[in-house]
Amino acid sequence: MTEDIEFTDPNGNTAQPSESGTVIPETDRSITDHDIARYLLQYLLDCRGICHENMLLVVLGKLQKYTQDPTSQVCSTDKLVEIIKGINVKLNPLGYKISSVGHGMGKNNVSSMLKDTGLPSNNRFYVYVNTVTSEESKLATRFSTREIEFIKWCVEKMCVSRDCEVIIDCPIITEVDRIRNDVSWNKCITYSVESSEFFQYKDWSPIEIESLLFKLCGLKWFAKDENGRISMDLRCSVELEEYLIANGISTCENCHRLALQGTRCTSCSRSWHVDCYQHRITHIGKYCPCGESILQNGMYIV
Ligand SMILES: [Zn+2]
Ligand SMILES: [Zn+2]
């Protein structure tokens, strides 16, 4: 349920990062691989620690115009992955890393929310995450003790899926039905929560709750949709992935990452992200490992 979230940087310059004046060095006409890595990391942090792969490829392509070394001028996903591996080696002692994650709503839905880069659509995002082991200390690097109590309370609520209405024009439902090429299923579940439920938190005033929820949405921890429902955004799901899996949220049968959006088999509850569902139907088969047809006996996770 992240339909209203814009995957752009705070200045809205994601597709033309050089025009922001913050990424491309203006005086130094020749930069090294080390500089490229440093500027890419800076760009990711400027985007609040989360950025779509195509946006990073656009930035990489622009940076490479300033390098003299021909081997540094190859702009491809492989090159980006190689640079990020190098950055991660340096971040490791600091307890951070850049992690890549596919968005459960699928590449077509993700692309429809991005500025057109001319690059093929894909669902991959890069997220700057804390690698310390305990969930508590991950939160402690960014939030006060009092805020952590509230966030944990909210996340617990969002670990429980609930039935919701099948809304035909919901992007995930539209995409799943396009893949199935069939009329909609009649069952839909969600991990999102009506924002009014969060206002039942005791000891906090509505203004305090409103302002922390606003902050969490800005940090891409939570996302609020046009109906006022709040869900965990990618940063939260990546940072707290192990905790969330331990708390009962299922993983995708294909990629084994957290499945907060996608489809689920009605008889055995195996789940797939939208693109992973398409991958299974196209390359593996139309049946769930439990024997049911995943084209017919499924539900949406929105
Ligand atoms: Zn998956
Ligand atoms: Zn099944």
Side-chain angles (χ1 to χ4, degrees), residues 102-104 123 251-259 261 271-277:
H103 201 298
N123 62 24
T251 53
C252 171
E253 198 56 21
N254 179 54
C255 69
H256 310 293
R257 303 292 296 264
L258 202 64
Q261 288 163 321
S271 306
W272 289 269
H273 297 118
V274 171
D275 290 338
C276 293
Y277 176 75

Side-chain angles (χ1 to χ4, degrees), residues 265 267-268 270 288 290:
C265 170
S267 68
C268 73
R270 281 185 174 88
C288 178
C290 77

Side-chain angles (χ1 to χ4, degrees), residues 95-111:
Y96 287 93
K97 72 168 181 181
I98 299 171
S99 185
S100 80
V101 62
H103 201 298
M105 65 164 48
K107 60 181 190 291
N108 292 333
N109 282 325
V110 168
S111 296

Side-chain angles (χ1 to χ4, degrees), residues 11 16 27 45 47 54-56 59 63-64 83 93 96 106 111 129 149 164 177 197 216 243-244 259 265 273 290 297:
N11 304 316
Q16 277 88 35
T27 49
L45 294 174
C47 297
N54 288 356
M55 298 306 168
L56 287 179
V59 177
L63 287 168
Q64 285 172 329
I83 294 170
Y96 287 93
S111 296
V129 292
E149 287 308 311
C164 64
D177 288 347
E197 281 192 41
L216 288 163
Y243 169 85
L244 296 170
C265 170
H273 297 118
C290 77
N297 303 306

Side-chain angles (χ1 to χ4, degrees), residues 3 9 42 54 63 72 79 96-97 102 132 139 163 168 171 183 189 196 205 211-212 248 264 268 281 293:
E3 287 87 328
D9 76 10
Q42 187 190 326
N54 288 356
L63 287 168
S72 300
K79 182 71 186 173
Y96 287 93
K97 72 168 181 181
V132 294
L139 290 165
D163 291 337
I168 306 300
V183 292
I189 58 166
S196 58
S205 73
S211 100
L212 183 52
R264 178 171 292 178
C268 73
I281 287 172
S293 159

